[in-house]
Amino acid sequence: MRLKFGKRRAGDEGLEVTEERGMRVLHLGSRAIQSAMRVNRPWDLELAYTRAMMGFLMFNPMPQDVLMIGLGGGSLAKFIRKQRPQTHVTAVEIDPRVVAAARTHFELPPDDATLSVVEADGALYVRQHPGSADVILLDGFDAGNQVEALATQTFYAACRRVLRPGGILVVNLWGRDSEFAEYFARLTRAFDGEVGWISVQNKTNVIVFAFADPGAAARLEAMRPQLADLSKRYGLDLRGFARDFQWAEGIAPLLE
């Protein structure tokens, strides 16, 4: 695995890291960008969908344990570690090359009291760790496609069992995926309809929020007075996310 500067790419059997004009990018088997980092601001979230995934702060601004399924360049792990050192992040990644790239080229720090990177199958890990997380961040893609093992009805049900009371599963889906409607339906079934979503960049990504317990709408309303301060603290447009947030019954426009 090599880092290539400029427009040319260098690969390692489908894994590519490129850098141009101060932006470092990770690709996994396709032209789709899996992770991006501005070299002079390595802790920031450059991609809009990653910022939207942090929308869980609208519902729980103080999670104790966050479980990531899919590491990529480690952008979310680095952001949480920097902004909320009280939160422990466990990142599960099946591909050792991705872990190596994150640490070598994307400034993911070594494991410590706030970060643990586990090289394992995310689907298996979830089944083995019930009741272990307040938030799950699921971003599982391979060569530009959703990893099917991380999108089954069984897997989503297992994710719900991982969550503690009040827990939230946050899923990055491709809005134009031919299976999008089915994935969304599975999430709705697994979480008894307690599901909402944010569309990013005209449906390129749809960030789905699935809640372990009822009452998420009331939680969001209760948090609205705090969103201005939270937005400033984290450098995220949480007020905008709250404005754009839709509940499951509003999914019809995305299915057209």
Side-chain angles (χ1 to χ4, degrees):
M1 179 173 54
R2 307 183 305 279
L3 174 63
K4 198 72 174 182
F5 294 90
K7 293 183 179 180
R8 294 178 59 197
R9 293 179 177 176
D12 179 10
E13 297 180 358
L15 188 150
E16 299 173 322
V17 179
T18 63
E19 184 177 318
E20 186 174 9
R21 298 179 181 177
M23 184 70 74
R24 196 167 292 175
V25 174
L26 174 68
H27 303 269
L28 292 174
S30 75
R31 290 184 175 273
I33 295 174
Q34 300 293 332
S35 192
M37 179 187 78
R38 193 160 301 274
V39 175
N40 62 358
R41 297 201 303 271
W43 306 104
D44 286 0
L45 295 175
E46 289 296 327
L47 299 180
Y49 89 87
T50 60
R51 296 193 293 272
M53 290 186 77
M54 290 299 301
F56 71 80
L57 293 168
M58 298 185 296
F59 301 90
N60 182 357
M62 296 183 293
Q64 180 179 348
D65 292 287
V66 171
L67 172 62
M68 293 178 54
I69 305 297
L71 176 66
S75 297
L76 285 164
K78 290 185 297 179
F79 182 84
I80 296 171
R81 187 176 183 273
K82 178 74 171 179
Q83 298 290 344
R84 270 208 55 81
Q86 310 93 324
T87 296
H88 183 269
V89 177
T90 300
V92 180
E93 173 57 53
I94 196 170
D95 190 339
R97 300 171 306 156
V98 172
V99 177
R103 291 233 151 102
T104 304
H105 295 311
F106 291 88
E107 299 194 25
L108 183 72
D111 286 6
D112 58 16
T114 63
L115 174 66
S116 302
V117 177
V118 180
E119 186 181 314
D121 181 332
L124 179 60
Y125 186 94
V126 162
R127 292 199 300 271
Q128 295 174 337
H129 293 81
S132 62
D134 303 298
V135 176
I136 302 173
L137 301 176
L138 173 58
D139 190 13
F141 287 86
D142 184 13
N145 298 311
Q146 192 84 30
V147 176
E148 182 59 30
L150 302 179
T152 66
Q153 191 72 66
T154 300
F155 175 74
Y156 290 147
C159 284
R160 186 172 184 178
R161 291 191 293 273
V162 167
L163 294 171
R164 296 170 181 151
I168 309 166
L169 168 65
V170 186
V171 187
N172 175 34
L173 296 177
W174 287 115
R176 305 181 195 282
D177 192 315
S178 61
E179 297 298 317
F180 172 83
E182 177 57 29
Y183 297 150
F184 193 89
R186 291 173 188 172
L187 283 161
T188 302
R189 289 192 293 267
F191 286 82
D192 297 328
E194 289 287 324
V195 172
W197 54 275
I198 300 172
S199 177
V200 180
Q201 295 179 330
N202 193 29
K203 308 179 189 178
T204 300
N205 299 86
V206 177
I207 308 306
V208 181
F209 298 76
F211 302 92
D213 303 307
R219 288 166 63 185
L220 180 57
E221 289 305 311
M223 283 294 298
R224 284 187 190 276
Q226 302 180 46
L227 294 184
D229 288 341
L230 287 173
S231 294
K232 183 177 180 180
R233 174 180 175 182
Y234 293 115
L236 299 167
D237 187 12
L238 296 175
R239 289 187 297 178
F241 296 156
R243 181 189 63 242
D244 297 338
F245 197 89
Q246 302 287 325
W247 296 100
E249 58 269 22
I251 197 65
L254 291 186
L255 305 181
E256 295 175 352

